[in-house]
């Protein structure tokens, strides 16, 4: 019963992962020069490659920009749509809708927002007499602009998990807290938030994986530019592997990404799990 | 939510206003795309309440690229992947939930590794594998790496573990084979989880882009997302109205499905997320 699943998992997950390790110490085969063992040469090249370092830093800033923001927004959204406010269903729907749209499609729409001169943002700013920057075309703002799109896309998805968790918290806890005279804020900080920790961990894992895997909008909006300002690690792997066909070097880059994901998994399950309060 | 901390008076007004403001910001990009797609291009940047409505943008987008073919490809991809996933994940989950075998924990950990290392990360190696198998540029090549899904196996295993053992035993006493027990006892009881997983899988593969982009290069196998990207990046003299129309077409089936079944959709995502 396990056979077919295991065979496919080995073929498309474990075997390629091991092969990536092997390929990373071999040179890229060329028509006249077959692949040969080069030891750490690919990694040495990587250490000296300014684009690699830039992609790493970009990805770090992208992660730091998206993860806390989207989780905080998701929590705020969930608390809001959990209360009985007018039009709750519509609001909930508005938050969640970006999740069901293809990233590649929403990137098209956002591309227009960011267009200088006649784009939507430029027009709104223009109404106040401000000349906005060329959001996607300048080094200073491009990474920020693609980060905003990722937050907008993900926050509603994470909201759903918080909403589900909020609804499982027993109302008697709130009543007990109110009897003790706890304020709304104290109730949130001391009771709701700690009880949401397992959800936060789950959302965090998803957000971290997402930050290193979501690059669809880069293809439409910037193609890694300008001047590699929005080249994220996976996008750089794609470029090296499929634009330059340098598979040896791409393997070395992939090893870094795999190591990064593995390390994050260890931190999340090993360290954080122990500090999370489970019911 | 308990009533004691429900906002009242001005607090409630402020909260409602905040929630609505954020909702407006969140829906604005989509609202903008809908406006642009249904109006002539000169209104893409000029908002007039009574601007004439038109379907012309959709017609022109549809004629400019083989969207019918892209729709068919995406439909075949999504249904094919889901069908295979349901069968394979059910079998694997049943084995993990109901059989004890040496090394089960290790094997399960090997399965869960895929949650962290998705096929998207191993694009270079998986491309080589597809090339060796000789299936490059085909719909099965897009779907194959995702068919054995760690998420599906994990989700169904949790569900199957909650099925009372007595029910299982009773069926076996009646002389049912393991496959019959699985089909008649476990699968029907897992229905809500199957629906949840189905929705997650369909929306994931409908929207997936990077791997299909790499593995396909012809109209015959390209799914909608890749088709849309080719369409909007080769279009000279950018006409936003047409791009918005194409963008909406691409997302329409999922979007309409979501609007119709909003409640079930959201709840199934919730269920899928609870461990």
């Amino acid at each position: 019963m396990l056979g077919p699943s295991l065979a496919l998992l080995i073929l498309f997950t474990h075997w390629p992962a091991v092969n990536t390790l092997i390929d990373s110490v071999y040179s890229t085969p060329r028509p006249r020069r077959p692949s040969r063992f080069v030891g750490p040469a690919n990694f040495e090249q990587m250490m000296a490659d300014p684009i690699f370092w830039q992609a790493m830093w970009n990805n770090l800033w992208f992660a730091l920009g998206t993860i806390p923001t989207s989780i905080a927004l998701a929590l705020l959204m969930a608390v809001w749509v959990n209360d009985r406010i007018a039009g709750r269903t519509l609001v909930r729907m508005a938050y969640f809708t970006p999740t069901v749209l293809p990233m590649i499609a929403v990137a098209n729409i956002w591309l227009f927002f960011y267009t200088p001169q006649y784009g939507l943002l430029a027009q709104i700013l223009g109404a106040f007499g401000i000349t906005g920057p060329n959001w996607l075309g300048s080094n200073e703002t491009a990474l920020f602009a693609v980060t905003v799109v990722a937050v907008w896309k993900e926050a509603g998805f994470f909201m759903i998990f918080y909403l589900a968790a909020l609804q499982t918290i027993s109302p008697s806890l709130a009543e007990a807290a109110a009897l003790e005279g706890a304020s709304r804020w104290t109730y949130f900080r001391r009771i709701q938030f700690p009880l949401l920790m397992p959800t936060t961990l789950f959302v965090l894992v998803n957000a971290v994986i997402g930050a290193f895997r979501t690059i669809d909008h880069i293809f439409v909006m910037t193609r890694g530019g300008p001047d590699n300002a929005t080249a994220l690690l996976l996008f750089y792997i794609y470029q090296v592997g499929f634009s330059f066909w340098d598979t040896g070097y791409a393997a070395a880059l992939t090893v870094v990404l795999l190591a990064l994901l593995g390390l994050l998994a260890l931190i999340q399950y090993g360290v954080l799990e122990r500090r999370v309060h489970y019911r | 939510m308990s009533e004691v901390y429900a906002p009242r008076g001005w607090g409630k007004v402020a909260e409602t206003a905040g929630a609505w403001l954020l909702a407006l910001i969140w829906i604005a990009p989509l609202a903008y795309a809908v406006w642009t797609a249904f109006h002539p291009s000169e209104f893409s940047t000029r908002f007039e309440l009574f601007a004439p409505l038109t379907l012309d943008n959709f017609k022109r987008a549809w004629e400019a690229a083989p969207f019918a073919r892209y729709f068919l490809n995406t439909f075949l991809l999504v249904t094919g992947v889901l069908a295979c996933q349901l069968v394979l994940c059910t079998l694997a989950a049943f084995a993990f939930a109901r059989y004890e075998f040496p090394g089960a924990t290790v094997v399960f950990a090997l399965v869960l590794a895929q949650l962290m290392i998705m096929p998207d990360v191993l694009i270079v190696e998986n491309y080589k594998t597809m090339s060796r198998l000789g299936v490059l540029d085909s719909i099965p090549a897009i779907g194959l790496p995702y068919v054995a899904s760690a998420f599906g196996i994990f989700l169904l295993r949790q569900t199957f573990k909650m099925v009372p053992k007595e029910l299982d035993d009773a069926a076996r006493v009646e002389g049912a084979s393991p496959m019959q027990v699985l089909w008649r006892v476990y699968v029907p009881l897992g229905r809500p989880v199957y629906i949840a997983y189905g929705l997650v899988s369909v929306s994931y593969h409908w929207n997936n882009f990077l791997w299909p982009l790499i593995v396909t290069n012809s109209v015959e196998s390209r799914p909608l997302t890749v088709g849309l990207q080719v369409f909007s990046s080769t279009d000279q003299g950018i006409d936003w109205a047409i791009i918005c129309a194409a963008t909406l077409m691409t997302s329409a089936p999922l979007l309409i499905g979501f609007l119709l079944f909003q409640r079930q959709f959201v709840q199934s995502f919730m269920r899928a997320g609870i461990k």
Side-chain angles (χ1 to χ4, degrees), chain B residues 5 17 27 87 135 214 227 233 250 267:
Chain B
Y5 284 114
I27 207 71
V87 175
V135 289
I214 288 164
S233 63
T250 308
Q267 270 170 1

Side-chain angles (χ1 to χ4, degrees), chain A residues 92-109:
Chain A
R92 202 184 279 186
M93 211 165 74
Y95 294 157
F96 189 69
T97 306
T99 303
V100 285
L101 300 173
M103 188 61 147
I104 203 81
V106 299
N108 273 322
I109 304 171

Side-chain angles (χ1 to χ4, degrees), chain A residues 177-217:
Chain A
L179 277 180
E180 299 281 328
S183 68
R184 174 79 182 86
W185 173 243
T186 312
Y187 171 65
F188 173 78
R189 203 166 51 89
R190 302 295 291 272
I191 296 174
Q192 279 183 319
F193 190 69
L195 285 175
L196 289 176
M197 276 314 268
T199 313
T200 305
L201 179 74
F202 175 78
V203 167
L204 188 67
V205 173
N206 274 298
V208 168
I209 303 175
F212 288 95
R213 233 186 62 202
T214 320
I215 54 161
D216 293 1
H217 58 317

Side-chain angles (χ1 to χ4, degrees), chain A residues 128-153:
Chain A
F128 295 100
I130 307 166
T131 314
N134 181 355
W135 295 99
L136 293 168
S138 83
N139 273 328
E140 291 85 45
T141 52
L143 189 60
F144 172 75
V146 295
T147 306
V148 169
V149 178
V151 170
W152 172 80
K153 180 89 166 72

Side-chain angles (χ1 to χ4, degrees), chain B residues 59-70 219 227-228 230-231 249:
Chain B
K59 198 171 145 260
R60 283 163 63 200
W62 186 267
E63 282 162 0
F67 277 106
R69 181 75 216 198
Y70 296 155
V219 169
L228 178 68
V230 172
F231 175 76
M249 274 186 336

